[in-house]
mmCIF file of all heavy atoms in Angstrom:
data_model
loop_
_atom_site.group_PDB
_atom_site.id
_atom_site.type_symbol
_atom_site.label_atom_id
_atom_site.label_comp_id
_atom_site.label_asym_id
_atom_site.label_seq_id
_atom_site.Cartn_x
_atom_site.Cartn_y
_atom_site.Cartn_z
ATOM 1 N N GLN A 477 124.781 -14.194 164.185
ATOM 2 C CA GLN A 477 125.456 -14.528 165.524
ATOM 3 C C GLN A 477 125.744 -15.954 165.527
ATOM 4 O O GLN A 477 126.792 -16.383 165.924
ATOM 5 C CB GLN A 477 124.486 -14.025 166.561
ATOM 6 C CG GLN A 477 125.043 -14.347 168.007
ATOM 7 C CD GLN A 477 124.054 -14.083 169.111
ATOM 8 O OE1 GLN A 477 122.910 -13.698 168.844
ATOM 9 N NE2 GLN A 477 124.482 -14.125 170.274
ATOM 10 N N ARG A 478 124.808 -16.863 165.171
ATOM 11 C CA ARG A 478 125.000 -18.323 165.194
ATOM 12 C C ARG A 478 126.112 -18.715 164.240
ATOM 13 O O ARG A 478 126.935 -19.554 164.562
ATOM 14 C CB ARG A 478 123.708 -19.010 164.822
ATOM 15 C CG ARG A 478 122.567 -18.795 165.736
ATOM 16 C CD ARG A 478 122.678 -19.373 167.104
ATOM 17 N NE ARG A 478 122.854 -20.861 166.883
ATOM 18 C CZ ARG A 478 123.348 -21.676 167.743
ATOM 19 N NH1 ARG A 478 123.852 -21.230 168.874
ATOM 20 N NH2 ARG A 478 123.443 -22.949 167.541
ATOM 21 N N LEU A 479 126.172 -18.132 163.037
ATOM 22 C CA LEU A 479 127.298 -18.473 162.026
ATOM 23 C C LEU A 479 128.569 -18.065 162.506
ATOM 24 O O LEU A 479 129.488 -18.815 162.448
ATOM 25 C CB LEU A 479 126.891 -17.747 160.749
ATOM 26 C CG LEU A 479 127.829 -18.031 159.557
ATOM 27 C CD1 LEU A 479 127.878 -19.550 159.202
ATOM 28 C CD2 LEU A 479 127.413 -17.154 158.291
ATOM 29 N N ARG A 480 128.705 -16.879 163.163
ATOM 30 C CA ARG A 480 129.958 -16.473 163.726
ATOM 31 C C ARG A 480 130.450 -17.399 164.847
ATOM 32 O O ARG A 480 131.610 -17.790 164.939
ATOM 33 C CB ARG A 480 129.859 -15.083 164.208
ATOM 34 C CG ARG A 480 129.910 -14.035 163.175
ATOM 35 C CD ARG A 480 129.996 -12.599 163.722
ATOM 36 N NE ARG A 480 129.983 -11.605 162.661
ATOM 37 C CZ ARG A 480 128.948 -10.800 162.522
ATOM 38 N NH1 ARG A 480 127.939 -10.792 163.288
ATOM 39 N NH2 ARG A 480 129.035 -10.006 161.448
ATOM 40 N N ALA A 481 129.506 -17.821 165.683
ATOM 41 C CA ALA A 481 129.834 -18.746 166.805
ATOM 42 C C ALA A 481 130.417 -20.008 166.219
ATOM 43 O O ALA A 481 131.379 -20.538 166.691
ATOM 44 C CB ALA A 481 128.645 -19.009 167.713
ATOM 45 N N VAL A 482 129.681 -20.557 165.281
ATOM 46 C CA VAL A 482 130.094 -21.900 164.739
ATOM 47 C C VAL A 482 131.471 -21.804 164.073
ATOM 48 O O VAL A 482 132.408 -22.660 164.201
ATOM 49 C CB VAL A 482 129.105 -22.433 163.733
ATOM 50 C CG1 VAL A 482 129.542 -23.614 162.918
ATOM 51 C CG2 VAL A 482 127.769 -22.807 164.502
ATOM 52 N N LEU A 483 131.661 -20.739 163.170
ATOM 53 C CA LEU A 483 132.985 -20.545 162.546
ATOM 54 C C LEU A 483 134.006 -20.272 163.492
ATOM 55 O O LEU A 483 135.225 -20.766 163.406
ATOM 56 C CB LEU A 483 132.861 -19.394 161.538
ATOM 57 C CG LEU A 483 132.002 -19.616 160.232
ATOM 58 C CD1 LEU A 483 131.855 -18.351 159.475
ATOM 59 C CD2 LEU A 483 132.689 -20.752 159.461
ATOM 60 N N GLY A 484 133.802 -19.521 164.530
ATOM 61 C CA GLY A 484 134.825 -19.297 165.593
ATOM 62 C C GLY A 484 135.224 -20.560 166.318
ATOM 63 O O GLY A 484 136.430 -20.799 166.505
ATOM 64 N N ARG A 485 134.340 -21.417 166.659
ATOM 65 C CA ARG A 485 134.678 -22.660 167.314
ATOM 66 C C ARG A 485 135.479 -23.590 166.337
ATOM 67 O O ARG A 485 136.405 -24.201 166.689
ATOM 68 C CB ARG A 485 133.398 -23.421 167.655
ATOM 69 C CG ARG A 485 132.844 -22.908 169.026
ATOM 70 C CD ARG A 485 131.817 -23.756 169.612
ATOM 71 N NE ARG A 485 130.688 -24.064 168.760
ATOM 72 C CZ ARG A 485 129.539 -23.364 168.657
ATOM 73 N NH1 ARG A 485 129.394 -22.241 169.425
ATOM 74 N NH2 ARG A 485 128.572 -23.728 167.804
ATOM 75 N N ALA A 486 135.060 -23.563 165.037
ATOM 76 C CA ALA A 486 135.870 -24.379 164.105
ATOM 77 C C ALA A 486 137.227 -23.859 163.898
ATOM 78 O O ALA A 486 138.205 -24.683 163.901
ATOM 79 C CB ALA A 486 135.123 -24.456 162.751
ATOM 80 N N LEU A 487 137.427 -22.576 163.776
ATOM 81 C CA LEU A 487 138.824 -22.040 163.618
ATOM 82 C C LEU A 487 139.658 -22.247 164.928
ATOM 83 O O LEU A 487 140.843 -22.473 164.806
ATOM 84 C CB LEU A 487 138.753 -20.594 163.285
ATOM 85 C CG LEU A 487 138.217 -20.290 161.869
ATOM 86 C CD1 LEU A 487 138.058 -18.765 161.611
ATOM 87 C CD2 LEU A 487 139.137 -20.807 160.772
ATOM 88 N N ALA A 488 139.046 -22.124 166.080
ATOM 89 C CA ALA A 488 139.779 -22.346 167.284
ATOM 90 C C ALA A 488 140.215 -23.775 167.436
ATOM 91 O O ALA A 488 141.211 -24.092 168.080
ATOM 92 C CB ALA A 488 138.893 -21.851 168.441
ATOM 93 N N ALA A 489 139.457 -24.679 166.933
ATOM 94 C CA ALA A 489 139.765 -26.108 167.111
ATOM 95 C C ALA A 489 140.910 -26.519 166.268
ATOM 96 O O ALA A 489 141.526 -27.448 166.586
ATOM 97 C CB ALA A 489 138.422 -26.988 166.843
ATOM 98 N N HIS A 490 141.093 -25.842 165.095
ATOM 99 C CA HIS A 490 142.131 -26.252 164.125
ATOM 100 C C HIS A 490 142.979 -24.993 163.803
ATOM 101 O O HIS A 490 142.900 -24.509 162.580
ATOM 102 C CB HIS A 490 141.514 -26.879 162.844
ATOM 103 C CG HIS A 490 140.680 -28.059 163.216
ATOM 104 N ND1 HIS A 490 141.127 -29.262 163.610
ATOM 105 C CD2 HIS A 490 139.229 -28.154 163.177
ATOM 106 C CE1 HIS A 490 140.135 -29.985 163.758
ATOM 107 N NE2 HIS A 490 138.967 -29.402 163.553
ATOM 108 N N PRO A 491 143.803 -24.378 164.696
ATOM 109 C CA PRO A 491 144.511 -23.230 164.386
ATOM 110 C C PRO A 491 145.460 -23.365 163.246
ATOM 111 O O PRO A 491 145.790 -22.381 162.591
ATOM 112 C CB PRO A 491 145.171 -22.812 165.736
ATOM 113 C CG PRO A 491 145.192 -24.085 166.447
ATOM 114 C CD PRO A 491 143.994 -24.940 166.059
ATOM 115 N N ALA A 492 146.114 -24.546 163.124
ATOM 116 C CA ALA A 492 147.165 -24.701 162.051
ATOM 117 C C ALA A 492 146.545 -24.652 160.712
ATOM 118 O O ALA A 492 147.207 -24.128 159.725
ATOM 119 C CB ALA A 492 147.822 -26.096 162.207
ATOM 120 N N HIS A 493 145.358 -25.045 160.515
ATOM 121 C CA HIS A 493 144.710 -25.009 159.278
ATOM 122 C C HIS A 493 143.989 -23.737 158.972
ATOM 123 O O HIS A 493 143.535 -23.443 157.963
ATOM 124 C CB HIS A 493 143.664 -26.216 159.027
ATOM 125 C CG HIS A 493 144.299 -27.536 159.306
ATOM 126 N ND1 HIS A 493 145.120 -28.076 158.264
ATOM 127 C CD2 HIS A 493 144.259 -28.442 160.238
ATOM 128 C CE1 HIS A 493 145.529 -29.255 158.605
ATOM 129 N NE2 HIS A 493 145.037 -29.479 159.859
ATOM 130 N N ALA A 494 143.779 -22.897 160.083
ATOM 131 C CA ALA A 494 143.044 -21.698 159.999
ATOM 132 C C ALA A 494 143.602 -20.691 159.003
ATOM 133 O O ALA A 494 142.875 -20.146 158.165
ATOM 134 C CB ALA A 494 142.888 -21.005 161.382
ATOM 135 N N ALA A 495 144.859 -20.498 158.913
ATOM 136 C CA ALA A 495 145.555 -19.525 158.081
ATOM 137 C C ALA A 495 145.300 -19.914 156.588
ATOM 138 O O ALA A 495 145.012 -19.111 155.731
ATOM 139 C CB ALA A 495 146.959 -19.322 158.430
ATOM 140 N N ALA A 496 145.641 -21.178 156.335
ATOM 141 C CA ALA A 496 145.446 -21.639 154.938
ATOM 142 C C ALA A 496 143.963 -21.584 154.451
ATOM 143 O O ALA A 496 143.702 -21.395 153.223
ATOM 144 C CB ALA A 496 145.989 -23.105 154.786
ATOM 145 N N ALA A 497 143.132 -21.868 155.333
ATOM 146 C CA ALA A 497 141.690 -21.968 154.922
ATOM 147 C C ALA A 497 140.975 -20.590 155.027
ATOM 148 O O ALA A 497 139.894 -20.493 154.522
ATOM 149 C CB ALA A 497 140.985 -23.020 155.791
ATOM 150 N N LEU A 498 141.600 -19.622 155.636
ATOM 151 C CA LEU A 498 140.965 -18.394 155.959
ATOM 152 C C LEU A 498 140.502 -17.669 154.647
ATOM 153 O O LEU A 498 139.377 -17.143 154.533
ATOM 154 C CB LEU A 498 141.832 -17.480 156.704
ATOM 155 C CG LEU A 498 141.159 -16.323 157.433
ATOM 156 C CD1 LEU A 498 140.052 -16.802 158.298
ATOM 157 C CD2 LEU A 498 142.218 -15.536 158.287
ATOM 158 N N VAL A 499 141.353 -17.578 153.642
ATOM 159 C CA VAL A 499 141.024 -16.714 152.371
ATOM 160 C C VAL A 499 139.862 -17.508 151.650
ATOM 161 O O VAL A 499 138.819 -16.799 151.365
ATOM 162 C CB VAL A 499 142.264 -16.602 151.472
ATOM 163 C CG1 VAL A 499 141.897 -16.024 150.155
ATOM 164 C CG2 VAL A 499 143.247 -15.804 152.208
ATOM 165 N N PRO A 500 139.902 -18.752 151.360
ATOM 166 C CA PRO A 500 138.692 -19.350 150.641
ATOM 167 C C PRO A 500 137.517 -19.372 151.520
ATOM 168 O O PRO A 500 136.368 -19.199 151.082
ATOM 169 C CB PRO A 500 139.152 -20.713 150.219
ATOM 170 C CG PRO A 500 140.576 -20.916 150.649
ATOM 171 C CD PRO A 500 141.003 -19.660 151.344
ATOM 172 N N ALA A 501 137.696 -19.542 152.843
ATOM 173 C CA ALA A 501 136.578 -19.590 153.817
ATOM 174 C C ALA A 501 135.918 -18.237 153.783
ATOM 175 O O ALA A 501 134.710 -18.152 153.926
ATOM 176 C CB ALA A 501 137.037 -20.089 155.052
ATOM 177 N N ALA A 502 136.740 -17.188 153.712
ATOM 178 C CA ALA A 502 136.208 -15.853 153.924
ATOM 179 C C ALA A 502 135.302 -15.618 152.615
ATOM 180 O O ALA A 502 134.207 -15.033 152.775
ATOM 181 C CB ALA A 502 137.185 -14.837 153.973
ATOM 182 N N ALA A 503 135.744 -16.024 151.414
ATOM 183 C CA ALA A 503 134.976 -15.842 150.248
ATOM 184 C C ALA A 503 133.725 -16.671 150.302
ATOM 185 O O ALA A 503 132.642 -16.200 149.978
ATOM 186 C CB ALA A 503 135.833 -16.201 149.038
ATOM 187 N N THR A 504 133.847 -17.871 150.763
ATOM 188 C CA THR A 504 132.707 -18.722 150.856
ATOM 189 C C THR A 504 131.676 -18.146 151.902
ATOM 190 O O THR A 504 130.418 -18.133 151.688
ATOM 191 C CB THR A 504 133.085 -20.153 151.302
ATOM 192 O OG1 THR A 504 133.974 -20.692 150.275
ATOM 193 C CG2 THR A 504 131.902 -21.067 151.407
ATOM 194 N N ALA A 505 132.186 -17.640 152.999
ATOM 195 C CA ALA A 505 131.325 -17.085 154.061
ATOM 196 C C ALA A 505 130.612 -15.802 153.579
ATOM 197 O O ALA A 505 129.473 -15.624 153.847
ATOM 198 C CB ALA A 505 132.234 -16.777 155.283
ATOM 199 N N THR A 506 131.336 -15.049 152.770
ATOM 200 C CA THR A 506 130.732 -13.917 152.175
ATOM 201 C C THR A 506 129.596 -14.238 151.229
ATOM 202 O O THR A 506 128.555 -13.663 151.350
ATOM 203 C CB THR A 506 131.819 -12.968 151.504
ATOM 204 O OG1 THR A 506 132.824 -12.617 152.390
ATOM 205 C CG2 THR A 506 131.200 -11.736 150.868
ATOM 206 N N ALA A 507 129.884 -15.144 150.412
ATOM 207 C CA ALA A 507 128.786 -15.609 149.490
ATOM 208 C C ALA A 507 127.648 -16.181 150.225
ATOM 209 O O ALA A 507 126.441 -15.841 149.890
ATOM 210 C CB ALA A 507 129.367 -16.591 148.502
ATOM 211 N N ALA A 508 127.946 -17.025 151.226
ATOM 212 C CA ALA A 508 126.819 -17.609 152.058
ATOM 213 C C ALA A 508 126.082 -16.545 152.715
ATOM 214 O O ALA A 508 124.784 -16.592 152.893
ATOM 215 C CB ALA A 508 127.437 -18.594 153.027
ATOM 216 N N SER A 509 126.800 -15.584 153.362
ATOM 217 C CA SER A 509 126.132 -14.428 154.006
ATOM 218 C C SER A 509 125.158 -13.653 153.094
ATOM 219 O O SER A 509 124.118 -13.309 153.531
ATOM 220 C CB SER A 509 127.190 -13.604 154.729
ATOM 221 O OG SER A 509 126.524 -12.494 155.300
#
Side-chain angles (χ1 to χ4, degrees):
Q477 179 185 7
R478 298 289 299 159
L479 183 60
R480 283 189 184 113
V482 168
L483 288 174
R485 283 194 302 271
L487 289 174
H490 305 286
H493 300 287
L498 197 55
V499 173
T504 302
T506 300
S509 176

